[in-house]
Amino acid sequence: MPPKNKGKGKDKDTSDSSAGGKSGSSKLKPATSINVRHILCEKHSKKEEALEKLRNGAKFDEVAREMSEDKARQGGSLGWKIRGSLFQEFEKVAYDLEPSTTGAPKIGEVRTSEGYHIIMVEGRK
């Protein structure tokens, strides 16, 4: 029986990441580092606006440059991050995401003390 919170309105879990059509591929090989991008928004409403742009086909890096409230000059790129170097909540979501491209991102969402994050992973190793 699946956990009760899966798919219940909140996208905090990584249900978005498994919507790629490859059934059974949700078990990723363990990684020690990820190449990660994010969009950081202080307010939930701004995060929802950014998500809407992504759903309408905007590229992840362009939305990050326009809307992220951190130093997102590189399109939200945080670069390669090793396990243990990010907020625990952020890391839990990010390491469960399948790698994708900025043009067709597989995204996850999480809230940390910094605000609301929309996360995508470009590579794992």
Side-chain angles (χ1 to χ4, degrees):
M1 189 165 166
K4 288 184 179 180
N5 64 348
K6 277 273 188 198
K8 284 266 190 191
K10 292 197 175 168
D11 291 340
K12 196 171 178 181
D13 65 287
T14 56
S15 58
D16 283 3
S17 69
S18 61
K22 293 182 200 167
S23 55
S25 67
S26 61
K27 283 281 178 216
L28 293 168
K29 289 182 183 172
T32 55
S33 63
I34 51 173
N35 187 4
V36 64
R37 290 181 184 263
H38 79 145
I39 299 167
L40 173 64
C41 300
E42 224 174 90
K43 295 187 173 157
H44 185 267
S45 59
K46 188 162 184 185
K47 178 203 66 140
E48 289 298 316
E49 190 182 332
L51 277 173
E52 190 61 31
K53 287 179 184 253
L54 291 170
R55 286 186 192 115
N56 289 331
K59 291 180 90 176
F60 192 94
D61 53 338
E62 292 168 3
V63 176
R65 280 189 200 96
E66 180 187 340
M67 302 197 71
S68 189
E69 296 171 353
D70 72 341
K71 301 176 198 117
R73 288 184 196 91
Q74 279 77 41
S77 178
L78 299 175
W80 285 95
K81 295 293 180 186
I82 59 168
R83 202 178 280 274
S85 66
L86 299 162
F87 283 108
Q88 190 174 0
E89 316 92 287
F90 184 104
E91 213 167 79
K92 186 177 185 317
V93 173
Y95 274 90
D96 282 346
L97 286 171
E98 288 181 49
S100 59
T101 62
T102 57
K106 294 181 180 180
I107 58 174
E109 298 175 54
V110 69
R111 184 176 183 189
T112 68
S113 58
E114 299 286 312
Y116 296 91
H117 302 264
I118 303 169
I119 307 165
M120 70 159 289
V121 171
E122 290 185 290
R124 299 168 57 88
K125 59 184 178 182

